[in-house]
Amino acid sequence: MVIQMNSDRAVFLVNEMLGVSILVSAPLLIGTLIVGLLISVFQVATQIQEITLTYVPKLAVSALILLVLGSWMLGLITQFARSAYSTIPTLGQ
């Protein structure tokens, strides 16, 4: 038994997957980017060249973002997974 997937359906699933991954990763990436830029400006202004200075604030911001938005991120991933699994029985049609 050969199951064929329509190319439109495959493109839709990949597009939906990329959209969900962008939505889930954007808050962490933007938060750490802003903190990294602020610390870089601070290091340039004060001429403090400590390499490890950026890690602790980025880690703290990442943890804070995950605490605040973690349930939303997990819900979004779960919703996508459920919709992807629900389309499995219709793939052979």
Side-chain angles (χ1 to χ4, degrees):
M1 176 179 200
V2 177
I3 297 176
Q4 295 179 351
M5 179 181 240
N6 191 359
S7 63
D8 293 335
R9 188 179 289 176
V11 170
F12 174 75
L13 286 174
V14 169
N15 188 23
E16 190 176 353
M17 177 196 60
L18 289 174
V20 168
S21 63
I22 288 171
L23 281 175
V24 168
S25 65
L28 281 173
L29 292 175
I30 292 171
T32 54
L33 174 73
I34 291 171
V35 169
L37 285 174
L38 290 175
I39 290 175
S40 295
V41 168
F42 174 75
Q43 283 181 331
V44 167
T46 60
Q47 295 182 354
I48 297 174
Q49 298 302 321
E50 181 63 33
I51 296 173
T52 60
L53 182 64
T54 61
Y55 294 119
V56 173
K58 283 184 184 179
L59 188 62
V61 166
S62 296
L64 183 66
I65 290 172
L66 284 175
L67 283 173
V68 172
L69 298 177
S71 61
W72 171 76
M73 292 175 179
L74 188 60
L76 199 61
I77 293 171
T78 304
Q79 180 183 2
F80 171 73
R82 284 183 181 163
S83 70
Y85 287 142
S86 69
T87 60
I88 289 175
T90 64
L91 292 179
Q93 299 176 355

